[in-house]
């Protein structure tokens, strides 16, 4: 059938299984929005307050489900407003298709009104991008964009469509959803090498990352840990991939990781990395990382092998397939000494935590906030966060009951990510969503509260309000002689009134009792967001902490 | 580890913007290139990029793997085993009656050719391995080099081996 370019775009999105998109209209996408109007019974468009919110929403949508998230923005500032969201998705390998309009081809290169070379701008922050200059290539380009976004190591793809292509007419024939491109299969001989390394190891540590989240491997990894007497830890991005109640799941390791998890990784003689990239925040000083350990790394991306850390064996291919084959071939073995060593670390961690908790007599502590959340949150709750101290506390304290339940900006560390992401996660799943944020991060994109109210998204916003930019301030406390340069937010914002002004509910919580009451009321909300202004002390620290460039031996566990 | 020179041959889509994607990756990841050339190939749908650079085995592995990830890259190989390497240079030197004979002798010996000649200067075209070009530049220095321009190397495997016949 003959359709215009905008209709072809929307038809192709529908054909590729897209049911929800996030975006903001403008002059160079007006035709696309006209087509969206036409197909509104088939595709739900969420109008955000700002294009950045749309990009984070599409990202959160994807993180919660594994589906490709889609956002739309107009040319120029609309497109550049997507940039932070696209980069966030890139650093965390999230499949996204960002669609931008542009000025007609006849005006390209003339610095026309709202013209920007967005494929140039996003070149380093997309897996690939396209400028569609010919309507004949439009549908196939969209299909290819989806295929690239979800294949191998996923990532964002941007498609820039000039106005004349949206307006032009062309033949459209629906096609099937594009399949992922197949990954190479790891050779049997390599699996055998892995099995040999595992057999020789006395102290195995399974290190789970974002590449394993969403593969449904949680139970299989636990079974494998039982089979070979391994401890399990995870990177920040690997949170929620492993069933939390497993006794030897030590939680996140790294800069703000759990004591036992980081120590066990340091003391292990074999690290089996599943979908991890050994980022600097995870390894600390790379020259001193895992010195006594051999490393096996399973990853779909060949360039991740030996990039940050030299590994003894890199297994490049489909992670789930590689893992299952490797786990099957391994024989059962027992390492009681290692298990005792791990248990000792866990006991030490518990004692440390109790000591720190006992020394803190603030009316509401971060630990208490998360104890309440863990105790009251509904099954299958998705926790989204912004970036800073609250994010690290969430990573340390939240107990997850399912995979894809932790939605947070890891690699890029994007303050302002959380609210948009929460809206996306809710739109995708309709599961309960709790946003953990801080007064700094929330201030960056709180405009999306308007969107959450309009779309009746009952996200519970736990605003850990300490009146400071806590994470930077923590560095200033520890490494800059308490010279608090520009980290004290001397603001007079009344967040309860602000929530109400947006049409949401708001509660103030200054004690743990008040917080519990507020949280109980908040999770009962079914049709509007709720902000809980939870006051915590400005001097709370995220501990443990590896000082920047430090090794595990430099870990700060208490002040 | 040793910083060895190596040559990478890359087949990429013959489309606009492809070179930016390749060179952008090099800049982004702080890889330094000695020379880079790009041109048509026996297959019209592809261009061939020849990159000459220095680095240890680790750098080499990273570069190859990062190149492979680019959607526009169809094939990447390091040309080991002493590939055939050639470079072309145009060099303009002062034409001075006292030195003319010496210059012409060098042109002869290097099997170069004079492609432009005026009473004050001449332009010489010389083709060969990078070391031959280096030697010729050195030889011309005393005569006064006015301007020069090198293409960077192009390289092919020896024998009947091709990039696509390797696998």
């Amino acid at each position: 059938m003959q359709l215009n370019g905008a209709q072809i775009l929307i038809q192709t999105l529908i054909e590729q299984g897209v049911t929800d998109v996030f975006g903001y209209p403008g002059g160079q996408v007006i035709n696309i929005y006209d087509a969206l109007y036409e197909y509104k019974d088939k595709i739900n468009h969420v109008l955000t307050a700002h294009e950045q919110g749309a990009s984070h929403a599409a990202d959160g949508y994807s993180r919660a489900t594994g589906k490709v998230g889609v956002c739309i923005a107009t040319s120029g500032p609309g497109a550049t407003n997507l940039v932070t969201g696209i980069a966030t998705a890139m650093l965390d390998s999230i499949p996204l298709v960002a669609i931008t309009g542009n000025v007609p081809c006849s005006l390209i290169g003339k610095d026309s009104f709202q013209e920007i070379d967005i494929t140039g701008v996003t070149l380093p922050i997309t897996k690939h991008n396209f400028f569609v200059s010919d309507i004949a290539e439009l549908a196939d380009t969209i299909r290819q964009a989806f295929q690239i976004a979800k294949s191998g190591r996923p990532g964002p793809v941007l498609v820039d469509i000039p106005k004349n292509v949206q307006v032009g007419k062309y033949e459209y024939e629906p096609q099937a959803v594009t399949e992922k491109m197949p990954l190479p299969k790891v050779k049997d001989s390599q699996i055998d090498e892995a099995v040999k390394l595992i057999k020789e190891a006395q102290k195995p540590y399974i290190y789970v990352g974002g590449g394993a989240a969403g593969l449904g491997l949680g139970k299989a990894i636990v079974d494998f840990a039982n089979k070979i007497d391994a401890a399990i830890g995870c990177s920040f991005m690997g949170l929620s991939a492993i069933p939390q109640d497993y006794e030897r799941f030590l939680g996140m390791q790294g800069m703000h990781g759990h004591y036992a998890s980081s120590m066990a990784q340091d003391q292990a003689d074999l690290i089996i990395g599943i979908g991890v990239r050994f980022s600097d925040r995870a390894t600390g000083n790379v020259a001193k990382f895992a010195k006594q350990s051999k490393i096996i790394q399973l990853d779909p991306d060949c360039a991740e092998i030996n990039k940050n850390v030299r590994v003894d064996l890199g297994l490049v291919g489909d992670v789930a397939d590689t893992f299952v084959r490797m786990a099957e071939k391994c024989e059962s073995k027992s390492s009681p000494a290692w298990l005792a060593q791990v248990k000792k670390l866990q006991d030490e961690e518990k004692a440390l935590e109790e000591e720190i908790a006992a020394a803190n007599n603030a009316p509401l502590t971060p630990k208490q906030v998360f104890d309440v959340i863990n105790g009251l949150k509904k099954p299958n709750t998705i926790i989204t966060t912004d970036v800073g101290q609250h994010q690290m506390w969430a990573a340390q304290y939240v107990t997850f009951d399912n995979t894809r339940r932790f939605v947070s900006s890891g690699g890029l560390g994007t303050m302002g990510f959380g609210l948009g992401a929460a809206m996306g996660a809710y739109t995708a799943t309709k599961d309960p969503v709790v946003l953990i944020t801080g007064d700094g991060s929330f201030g960056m994109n709180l405009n999306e509260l308007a969107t959450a109210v309009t779309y009746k998204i009952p996200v519970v916003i736990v605003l850990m309000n300490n009146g400071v930019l806590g994470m930077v301030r923590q560095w200033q406390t520890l490494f800059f002689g308490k010279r608090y340069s520009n980290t004290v937010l001397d603001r007079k914002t009344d967040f309860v009134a602000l929530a109400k002004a947006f049409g949401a509910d708001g509660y103030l919580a200054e004690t743990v009792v008040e917080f519990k009451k507020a949280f109980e009321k908040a999770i009962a909300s079914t049709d509007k967001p709720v902000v809980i202004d939870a006051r915590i002390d400005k001097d709370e620290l995220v501990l443990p902490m590896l000082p920047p460039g430090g090794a595990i031996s430099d870990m700060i566990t208490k002040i | 580890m040793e910083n060895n020179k190596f040559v990478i041959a890359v087949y990429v889509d013959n489309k606009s913007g492809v070179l930016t994607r390749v060179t952008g990756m090099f800049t982004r990841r702080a890889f330094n290139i000695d020379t880079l050339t790009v041109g048509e190939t026996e297959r019209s749908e592809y261009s061939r990029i020849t990159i000459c650079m220095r680095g240890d085995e680790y750098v080499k592995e990273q570069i190859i793997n990062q190149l492979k990830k680019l959607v526009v890259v169809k094939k990447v190989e390091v040309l080991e085993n002493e590939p055939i390497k050639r470079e072309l240079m145009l060099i303009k030197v002062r034409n001075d009656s006292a030195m003319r004979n010496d210059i012409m002798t060098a042109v002869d010996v290097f099997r170069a050719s004079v492609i432009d000649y005026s009473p004050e200067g001449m332009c010489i075209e010389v083709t060969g391995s990078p070391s031959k070009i280096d030697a010729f530049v050195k030889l011309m220095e005393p005569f006064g080099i006015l301007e020069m321009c090198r293409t960077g190397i192009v390289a092919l495997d020896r024998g009947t081996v091709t990039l696509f016949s390797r696998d």
Side-chain angles (χ1 to χ4, degrees), chain A residues 170-187:
Chain A
Y170 202 70
E171 201 59 33
Y172 168 78
E173 282 301 327
Q175 286 189 14
V177 175
T178 51
E179 297 290 327
K180 288 182 188 176
M181 285 176 274
L183 278 161
K185 217 169 159 66
V186 172
K187 287 187 197 131

Side-chain angles (χ1 to χ4, degrees), chain A residues 119 123-124 127-130 144 148 153 301-308 310, chain B residues 1 17 20-21 24 28-29 56 58 61-62 64-66 68-72:
Chain A
T119 50
L123 193 68
K127 200 171 163 189
H128 193 61
N129 61 26
F130 297 95
Q144 214 188 333
I148 292 168
R153 177 183 187 169
D301 180 356
C302 60
E304 282 308 328
I305 309 297
N306 291 330
K307 187 180 85 178
N308 296 332
R310 307 282 176 97
Chain B
M1 255 197 259
T20 316
R21 290 177 193 277
R28 197 152 72 238
R29 300 204 177 263
D56 58 21
Y58 160 74
E61 178 190 346
Q62 258 300 296
I64 300 294
N65 286 337
Q66 294 293 355
K68 279 183 186 166
K69 281 170 66 172
L70 299 175
V71 172
V72 294

Side-chain angles (χ1 to χ4, degrees), chain A residues 503-555:
Chain A
D505 279 339
Y507 307 113
L508 175 69
E510 292 182 300
T511 66
V512 65
V513 175
E514 286 174 11
F515 180 71
K516 190 159 181 264
K517 265 191 204 155
F519 194 74
E520 273 167 348
K521 276 193 272 178
I523 56 173
S525 169
T526 53
D527 62 349
K528 63 167 95 164
V530 183
V531 177
I532 303 174
D533 181 358
R535 299 290 173 86
I536 58 164
D537 190 83
K538 64 184 188 309
D539 290 320
E540 293 281 0
L541 297 175
V542 182
L543 293 173
M545 178 178 196
L546 297 189
I552 298 296
S553 53
D554 306 317
M555 189 193 292

